[in-house]
Every structure is written in structure tokens, then in C-alpha cells.
């Protein structure tokens, strides 16, 4: 009888320890709950530099890094991060189509979820992933110049 009880307790402990807890919504490991100045410091520590010509010290900061194919725009209100957007640099519409598909497939695999795709045309595509307490949107808008962006935005809370 003692062995059955111990077996039952071991199974319960294993189930409790292996439960699938979702990590809080974040941008590449940086939580949206950290203060804006701490996020800026973290981006600087990762080798990004602030593009002061494109930034507005009151509400946005734009980061660039040599060797990266994107710029990062961080929007904040006071000291709270509102949204983060990566704007990818590409030379042709064909390259942005391929990058869009790779980003979409990567997020699908990482999040284990299918996106909502309200628009799926050749030169205009949108994939929106629900990441629990935030949304990740991948946009492709090829008109005269190739445009590809990924937006990370926490869901609105009532606080």
C-alpha cells in the first residue's frame, strides 16, 4: 500500500513540475514590464546604438546595429513600454516575400500556434500571432519600396 501511495505522489509531483507554464510576453528575452530606460540600457548592452536623428526622446527610441538587417523602434509612454517594432531592410520585393515567410514560419514554430492571416496577397501579407498576453504581427507591404516589419505589442490591461 505504501508503494502505491508513493508512486501516486511521484506521478503527481512529476505532473506538477512538468506543467507547461507560458513565459510572460517579451521581446527577444526583454520583458515588456521592465521600465523603458532599463530596456534601452539592455539594447545598448546588446550592441545596438540609438539613432538620435530618428528618435523622439519623449516617446520613441530607434536602435540600429551593424550587421543586423533590421532597425528596432521602441514606443513608450512615460516609463512604460507600449510597443516594439522591427523594420527590416531589403532591396527587392522578392527578398521581403521570402523574409516574411521565414519570419512567419519561425514564429509559428516558436509559439506553437497558427497565425491569423487577414491578408495574404503577393505583395501585402499580414500574420498576427496571439502570444498569450501580447500580439506579434508580421507585415509585408510591397509597393514602390519593399517594406517588412514585425510588431510586438502587449495586450491592453485595465490598470
Amino acid at each position: 500500500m505504501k508503494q502505491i501511495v508513493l508512486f501516486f505522489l511521484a506521478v503527481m509531483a512529476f505532473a506538477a513540475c512538468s506543467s507547461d507554464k507560458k513565459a510572460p510576453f517579451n521581446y527577444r528575452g526583454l520583458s515588456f514590464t521592465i521600465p523603458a530606460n532599463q530596456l534601452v540600457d539592455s539594447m545598448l548592452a546588446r550592441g545596438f546604438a540609438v539613432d538620435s536623428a530618428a528618435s523622439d526622446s519623449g516617446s520613441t527610441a530607434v536602435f540600429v546595429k551593424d550587421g543586423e538587417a533590421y532597425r528596432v523602434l521602441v514606443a513608450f509612454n512615460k516609463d512604460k513600454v507600449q510597443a516594439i517594432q522591427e523594420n527590416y531592410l531589403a532591396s527587392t520585393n522578392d527578398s521581403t516575400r521570402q523574409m516574411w515567410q521565414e519570419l512567419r514560419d519561425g514564429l509559428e514554430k516558436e509559439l506553437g500556434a497558427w497565425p491569423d492571416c487577414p491578408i495574404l496577397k503577393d505583395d501585402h501579407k499580414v500574420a498576427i500571432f496571439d502570444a498569450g498576453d501580447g500580439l506579434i504581427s508580421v507585415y509585408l507591404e510591397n509597393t514602390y519600396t519593399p517594406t517588412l516589419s514585425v510588431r510586438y505589442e502587449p495586450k491592453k490591461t485595465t490598470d
Side-chain angles (χ1 to χ4, degrees):
M1 182 69 172
K2 219 180 209 184
Q3 291 177 337
I4 293 174
V5 171
L6 287 174
F7 175 75
F8 181 74
L9 290 174
V11 169
M12 285 180 47
F14 177 76
C17 291
S18 65
S19 66
D20 190 21
K21 294 181 182 178
K22 282 195 136 185
F25 187 61
N26 67 71
Y27 170 73
R28 298 183 183 251
L30 298 173
S31 172
F32 272 77
T33 59
I34 64 174
N37 59 353
Q38 188 177 350
L39 187 131
V40 169
D41 291 343
S42 296
M43 292 295 287
L44 295 174
R46 291 178 177 195
F48 283 85
V50 175
D51 181 352
S52 57
S55 299
D56 171 5
S57 62
S59 60
T60 60
V62 177
F63 297 94
V64 295
K65 182 177 179 181
D66 289 339
E68 291 292 344
Y70 59 90
R71 298 166 59 92
V72 179
L73 171 89
V74 179
F76 50 91
N77 183 5
K78 295 182 183 162
D79 204 26
K80 185 173 180 179
V81 178
Q82 300 294 311
I84 298 176
Q85 182 169 311
E86 297 174 342
N87 295 311
Y88 284 79
L89 310 171
S91 57
T92 66
N93 288 345
D94 289 339
S95 64
T96 55
R97 286 185 199 107
Q98 180 180 352
M99 288 170 62
W100 183 89
Q101 190 64 48
E102 290 170 359
L103 287 167
R104 180 195 174 277
D105 292 347
L107 285 168
E108 184 178 306
K109 186 175 183 179
E110 179 183 332
L111 298 172
W114 288 88
D116 176 23
C117 295
I119 301 171
L120 276 177
K121 299 177 182 175
D122 282 343
D123 287 324
H124 188 187
K125 300 178 187 209
V126 176
I128 302 170
F129 291 89
D130 187 343
D133 48 352
L135 298 174
I136 303 173
S137 306
V138 185
Y139 298 97
L140 170 69
E141 295 179 4
N142 286 335
T143 52
Y144 297 107
T145 58
T147 304
L148 177 66
S149 61
V150 180
R151 183 176 176 91
Y152 297 77
E153 190 170 19
K155 289 182 180 174
K156 304 292 185 234
T157 58
T158 55
D159 48 23

